[in-house]
Amino acid sequence: PRLQVRHVNSPGALEMLATSAVAAAMVLASWLANMLVHQRVPLVELDDSLASSVLLLHTASTLGVFRVRTGSFISTSDAERAFNASSAMFSAAEREAWPVVRFDSADGKSGPIARGYIPFSGESGVASKFIEVKQGFAYSAECAPMEPPAEDEEPKARPLLEYCNAWPQGDAEFRDASLRLLQGAQSLATDVASRIASALGRATSDTKDEAAAQAKMDAMASAVGASLRDGAPTSVMRLFHYLSADRCEQTPGDGEEAVKVCTGSSPHTDWHAVTVILEDSPGFEVRSPRTGKWLKARAEPGEAIIIVGDLLHLATRGRLQAPVHRVTLPAKGTRTSFTFFAYPRVTDTLQWWASTLAGPEQDDNDAGEFLEQARAGAREASWNTLLSGPGQDASMGEAFGSLLVRKWHGVSTASA
């Protein structure tokens, strides 16, 4: 997106407000009303105004979670159609027998579920401590057909992280509604990430040449948008159906844990660029980076929750927040959410993203030093992050796709 705003010779997003008293009042009023009065995450308008650009960057830098309107990307009717179709799918008696597609096995063990139905309590990010009382379904854009091999050739493998979907047989409505929702979520995620990159370009511009500043903003937004569009074949929608707490049974824990804690989704950060969540009821909570308290984040109809991922956090040397979040169980009934993970190109490295978002004038060693600090923090944290477990040995030069494969193999999942 092209943000036509006046030049500000300032490295900080909030200092941009000095150019407009009106913009300052709008941003502060929106922030205070949402965070202090209504106790909810801010709503950021996706328009080309200075106020919206500042609020977007400020919220991504301080909380890492915000709400957006979905109207130009996902219609209310399309969302309702997908939720209705998912309800019927999760009620199907034969769902346990549906085929699934798994990640390639590692060490002879069954790989995690990559596409298809995820059974009740069949997955946990921190399996030693939590039982995640949910069932799910993972899908992506439809895979492109592969050219058949020649007679003397072995069948070609699909590109890294590209898997074909495993749809329930005979349920065309669920497939069609889900794919339409995914297309809208992909476009929304790309737009939001591009806007964040553009706002970063404005905030880090040190030139008084307005044309040069605008060119930097456009270049950063274009690079980020291109990476997410190229990552569309591997990006995944994970549909979750959370059950009420009374469906959980006491289970012995591992190590010092007497019993495992029943939850919807255990505390974690998201590994990729940005996440888009559409939900039908409350339950999503985010941990405040400043106070450590859990804040409720509810998307109203016609809205989506956006989460900044670890990729953007590491690439910006911690300027953008990748918040710890979780999902609590409903007291009664169920909760359903469509959660879209926007992946970059599988060949992109953390170094490429750091150079893209920080600019060539930044010292590349800074990103490496920050990675080491983040790695140390991940070892001390009790939640799952990109750099915890199998991600401990991540490097600035490693392809992000290979890092994601290792991380997915660290997720506890239902066996074959």
Side-chain angles (χ1 to χ4, degrees), residues 282-316:
F284 177 84
E285 296 182 349
V286 59
R287 185 176 183 270
S288 169
R290 185 175 62 86
T291 67
K293 294 182 178 180
W294 290 100
L295 307 174
K296 298 183 184 300
R298 172 75 171 106
E300 300 297 334
E303 296 178 353
I305 294 172
I306 304 294
I307 308 173
V308 175
D310 287 325
L311 176 60
L312 298 188
H313 175 69
L314 294 171
T316 59

Side-chain angles (χ1 to χ4, degrees), residues 244-260:
S244 57
D246 58 9
R247 293 290 302 271
C248 184
E249 297 179 357
Q250 293 289 316
T251 304
D254 299 339
E256 298 178 356
E257 303 293 329
V259 294
K260 294 184 180 181

Side-chain angles (χ1 to χ4, degrees), residues 55-70:
L55 180 58
L56 173 63
L57 183 56
H58 180 60
T59 306
S61 301
T62 55
L63 188 60
V65 175
F66 48 93
R67 297 174 293 130
V68 298
R69 302 186 200 276
T70 60

Side-chain angles (χ1 to χ4, degrees), residues 61-115:
S61 301
T62 55
L63 188 60
V65 175
F66 48 93
R67 297 174 293 130
V68 298
R69 302 186 200 276
T70 60
S72 59
F73 300 95
I74 302 169
S75 70
T76 301
S77 61
D78 283 345
E80 290 178 352
R81 180 190 176 197
F83 277 105
N84 290 337
S86 71
S87 178
M89 186 274 293
F90 283 123
S91 300
E94 68 274 16
R95 62 187 182 278
E96 297 284 350
W98 288 335
V100 297
V101 176
R102 294 179 177 272
F103 287 95
D104 297 334
S105 61
D107 302 327
K109 299 180 180 179
S110 176
I113 295 173
R115 304 291 185 268

Side-chain angles (χ1 to χ4, degrees), residues 44-397:
V44 177
E45 299 291 351
L46 299 180
D47 58 40
D48 291 349
S49 69
L50 173 61
S52 295
S53 176
V54 172
L55 180 58
L56 173 63
L57 183 56
H58 180 60
T59 306
S61 301
T62 55
L63 188 60
V65 175
F66 48 93
R67 297 174 293 130
V68 298
R69 302 186 200 276
T70 60
S72 59
F73 300 95
I74 302 169
S75 70
T76 301
S77 61
D78 283 345
E80 290 178 352
R81 180 190 176 197
F83 277 105
N84 290 337
S86 71
S87 178
M89 186 274 293
F90 283 123
S91 300
E94 68 274 16
R95 62 187 182 278
E96 297 284 350
W98 288 335
V100 297
V101 176
R102 294 179 177 272
F103 287 95
D104 297 334
S105 61
D107 302 327
K109 299 180 180 179
S110 176
I113 295 173
R115 304 291 185 268
Y117 176 71
I118 303 169
F120 174 71
S121 298
E123 182 178 277
S124 178
V126 189
S128 63
K129 298 181 179 180
F130 295 97
I131 298 175
E132 299 189 1
V133 187
K134 64 187 179 186
Q135 53 185 327
F137 191 92
Y139 69 97
S140 59
E142 296 284 54
C143 59
M146 297 282 287
E147 292 185 6
E151 292 184 2
D152 57 344
E153 290 182 341
E154 293 291 329
K156 294 182 179 179
R158 287 203 164 272
L160 187 67
L161 286 174
E162 287 191 24
Y163 295 93
C164 293
N165 291 316
W167 298 109
Q169 292 185 356
D171 195 347
E173 171 63 11
F174 172 66
R175 179 198 63 207
D176 295 346
S178 298
L179 285 174
R180 186 169 179 84
L181 195 70
L182 179 140
Q183 291 170 356
Q186 174 73 56
S187 297
L188 174 58
T190 302
D191 183 79
V192 170
S194 299
R195 289 179 183 276
I196 291 175
S198 182
L200 277 168
R202 169 61 62 185
T204 58
S205 178
D206 58 359
T207 176
K208 295 182 179 181
D209 184 342
E210 176 60 28
Q214 188 68 56
K216 178 180 180 179
M217 295 165 62
D218 292 345
M220 291 172 66
S222 177
V224 166
S227 177
L228 295 195
R229 283 188 290 274
D230 289 347
T234 61
S235 296
V236 62
M237 180 76 84
R238 291 171 64 77
L239 164 61
F240 291 120
H241 187 64
Y242 300 91
L243 308 181
S244 57
D246 58 9
R247 293 290 302 271
C248 184
E249 297 179 357
Q250 293 289 316
T251 304
D254 299 339
E256 298 178 356
E257 303 293 329
V259 294
K260 294 184 180 181
V261 176
C262 291
T263 188
S265 289
S266 55
H268 64 282
T269 59
D270 287 347
W271 309 330
H272 40 274
V274 294
T275 302
V276 177
I277 299 177
L278 290 92
E279 58 183 3
D280 67 355
S281 57
F284 177 84
E285 296 182 349
V286 59
R287 185 176 183 270
S288 169
R290 185 175 62 86
T291 67
K293 294 182 178 180
W294 290 100
L295 307 174
K296 298 183 184 300
R298 172 75 171 106
E300 300 297 334
E303 296 178 353
I305 294 172
I306 304 294
I307 308 173
V308 175
D310 287 325
L311 176 60
L312 298 188
H313 175 69
L314 294 171
T316 59
R317 285 86 158 164
R319 176 167 188 161
L320 300 182
Q321 290 288 338
V324 179
H325 52 281
R326 67 184 183 186
V327 175
T328 59
L329 295 174
K332 295 181 180 180
T334 62
R335 174 186 182 270
T336 301
S337 67
F338 283 83
T339 305
F340 178 72
F341 295 170
Y343 290 165
R345 277 184 297 259
V346 293
T347 55
D348 281 355
T349 64
L350 284 174
Q351 187 61 64
W352 181 89
W353 275 80
S355 298
T356 298
L357 294 181
E361 68 277 5
Q362 299 294 322
D363 187 349
D364 288 343
N365 291 329
D366 291 345
E369 291 175 2
F370 182 79
L371 179 65
E372 290 301 321
Q373 296 172 8
R375 199 192 318 274
R379 285 194 293 267
E380 299 173 1
S382 59
W383 43 76
N384 191 359
T385 75
L386 179 65
L387 299 181
S388 62
Q392 273 288 317
D393 58 349
S395 68
M396 295 299 296

